[in-house]
Amino acid sequence: MPLLDTRVPAVLLRIDQNPFHHGTLGAVRSLGRAGVEVHVVADSARSPVHASRYVRQMHPPPLPGASPDDILGVLRRVADRIARPAVLVPMDDACAVAVARLRNELAPSYLLPTMPGTLPERVADKAELAAVCASAGVPHPMTLVPDSAARAAAAARQLGLPLVAKWSRPWLLPAGSGLRSTVLVRSVQQARELYLRTEEAGSRLLLQAYLPPGPNRDWFFHGYADHSGTLRAGGPGRKRLDWPRGAGLTAVGCWTPNPQVQALAERLTGELGYRGIFDLDFRRCGTTGSYHLLDFNPRPGAQFRLFADSAGLDVVRALHLDLTGRPLPNGAPMAGRTFVVENYAPLAALRAVPGGRELAWYAPDDRAPGWAMWGLWCRHVSRRLRERLGATAAAPEAPRLIPRASSPSLTDNEKASS
């Protein structure tokens, strides 16, 4: 008998149009290799995912910023095409929040974990996360949510500089606005100016104490809470390399046992009554040694395939097994296993790893997405270079100062400010 119930298809839903979202490809391969029919509701024009041999069909996704009714309409059309109940896997926060809200309307056609419909929205909202952590006794950086530009400036002075600014619901940020979900703020004026863009951002601005990065300080935990609330699959991982450096996504991660991170994940999901897949990000404080929760994502993390155990179980397979009433196998953790995103860490992708390694894009049994990614990545890098060179060429040339013979030369700082 196959591990998963191959009579039940899976539908992966992603509104985010990032073509380099390798987590979607990981879910396609994980389920497809187990014999599950996989449908993907996502942008197919630019994504290498559509080239995977394990995709049964790509479906047009809702547009960014789509309303819950729009998302419901798309999922109903997909359900009509499939014509039998399917496991639904949201792959970004916007989808996870919408699907939780629509659970009752989707239930006849889709299998979903049972939990309060507002819970994914609550944990994904970065302004609400501080209260969630406080109620569960999980460390979290000091966070202030100003209600005016003046209070944003006062909060910046209180927290100290630099500090971290975040939009509480980054999935609402309008495309082309230039606003980023997370920014390192270095001045009081910058905090004030960010607050003035609150209406444009579509959610509240929060200001957070900055925990500096450092060796072995960035950790994550991917897990699946089954119908009884027991954590199955997944585990703690250490971020060895990120992109961009210091505050980016995991480019190289390693499955590393960490009882403290494990205990925090169990405490938090247990207190909340959470059910389903989740992805937590932690940073260890260099002064106290405590692990602070930075983000709670109510969906699979992009590097979830790092935590494929000796039985082949990962969080996406755990979801499918649990929702179809099948037992979850008890595999052994594969500590030391490494996950590498080739386009962000090409040298790491070439090195041998004693504990085993999985690449985000390349796979011997599914080569086409890897080739498609490299073609897309080269065009992306070339375009960015042209944009930077164009911006440099368009900038007016600064007047050249010719100092008198008796004048002292400029210091490096003075050159930078002139």
Side-chain angles (χ1 to χ4, degrees):
M1 184 178 70
L3 175 64
L4 273 63
D5 189 341
T6 56
R7 298 169 300 175
V8 181
V11 174
L12 310 183
L13 173 65
R14 182 164 57 84
I15 295 176
D16 174 25
Q17 293 185 330
N18 175 16
F20 301 108
H21 190 271
H22 49 273
T24 304
L25 179 59
V28 166
R29 286 172 171 166
S30 177
L31 295 168
R33 286 169 179 153
V36 173
E37 179 182 310
V38 182
H39 294 256
V40 180
V41 184
D43 179 24
S44 62
R46 298 179 299 161
S47 172
V49 172
H50 77 276
S52 174
R53 60 180 290 196
Y54 296 113
V55 172
R56 174 62 63 91
Q57 187 175 354
M58 298 288 299
H59 301 266
L63 295 175
S67 69
D69 285 343
D70 292 336
I71 295 171
L72 179 61
V74 168
L75 288 174
R76 280 178 170 167
R77 286 194 291 273
V78 173
D80 289 342
R81 293 287 298 273
I82 298 174
R84 60 190 189 280
V87 171
L88 181 58
V89 189
M91 296 302 300
D92 60 37
D93 289 346
C95 292
V97 169
V99 166
R101 288 182 182 178
L102 298 167
R103 189 181 188 284
N104 291 337
E105 291 85 348
L106 293 170
S109 301
Y110 294 100
L111 306 180
L112 294 164
T114 301
M115 63 177 164
T118 58
L119 185 52
E121 188 169 3
R122 185 181 173 208
V123 297
D125 188 312
K126 299 180 189 304
E128 296 291 335
L129 190 58
V132 170
C133 290
S135 65
V138 173
H140 184 71
M142 183 178 180
T143 300
L144 301 175
V145 184
D147 58 6
S148 69
R151 291 191 176 180
R157 296 187 186 96
Q158 179 181 345
L159 292 169
L161 298 170
L163 57 85
V164 176
K166 298 179 179 179
W167 298 106
S168 63
R169 300 187 174 196
W171 60 89
L172 298 179
L173 291 175
S177 66
L179 291 169
R180 299 181 61 183
S181 61
T182 303
V183 178
L184 189 62
V185 173
R186 299 185 181 278
S187 70
V188 171
Q189 182 61 24
Q190 186 181 0
R192 187 195 304 271
E193 291 172 354
L194 276 172
Y195 180 85
L196 293 175
R197 302 187 69 178
T198 297
E199 184 175 353
E200 180 185 2
S203 65
R204 294 179 291 174
L205 177 72
L206 61 95
L207 302 177
Q208 195 171 83
Y210 177 59
L211 295 178
N216 300 325
R217 291 188 185 178
D218 288 315
W219 292 75
F220 47 87
F221 188 98
H222 294 195
Y224 176 73
D226 68 12
H227 63 277
S228 69
T230 303
L231 291 196
R232 306 295 302 273
R238 179 169 57 89
K239 188 183 292 188
R240 293 175 54 187
L241 182 67
D242 54 4
W243 180 270
R245 295 290 181 91
L249 57 81
T250 300
V252 181
C254 182
W255 191 342
T256 308
N258 188 319
Q260 291 174 275
V261 170
Q262 178 88 29
L264 289 172
E266 291 175 351
R267 182 193 309 168
L268 183 61
T269 54
E271 288 283 338
L272 292 172
Y274 188 88
R275 301 291 185 271
I277 300 173
F278 62 92
D279 164 26
L280 310 177
D281 288 320
F282 293 90
R283 177 165 287 178
R284 182 172 58 84
C285 176
T287 302
T288 65
S290 59
Y291 291 86
H292 292 247
L293 181 67
L294 302 183
D295 284 307
F296 189 131
N297 302 303
R299 40 79 180 169
Q303 70 273 22
F304 79 91
R305 280 291 303 165
L306 169 64
F307 302 105
D309 65 18
S310 63
L313 187 68
D314 59 36
V315 296
V316 170
R317 288 186 175 185
L319 172 73
H320 195 283
L321 287 165
D322 193 36
L323 295 183
T324 56
R326 289 205 169 191
L328 279 64
N330 293 313
M334 305 288 284
R337 178 173 157 84
T338 299
F339 186 86
V340 180
V341 187
E342 306 96 295
N343 51 315
Y344 300 128
L347 295 180
L350 299 174
R351 300 190 191 106
V353 179
R357 180 190 62 197
E358 179 156 342
L359 300 179
W361 296 102
Y362 174 77
D365 63 333
D366 191 31
R367 298 172 185 267
W371 291 115
M373 181 279 296
W374 280 119
L376 189 66
W377 183 251
C378 289
R379 292 193 293 273
H380 168 75
V381 172
S382 297
R383 184 175 65 254
R384 294 294 295 271
L385 286 174
R386 288 195 302 270
E387 290 172 354
R388 291 186 181 184
L389 290 173
T392 302
E397 184 178 355
R400 298 181 64 185
L401 300 178
I402 305 177
R404 298 176 181 175
S406 59
S407 299
S409 60
L410 296 174
T411 67
D412 289 340
N413 288 338
E414 290 168 332
K415 288 178 183 175
S417 63
S418 64

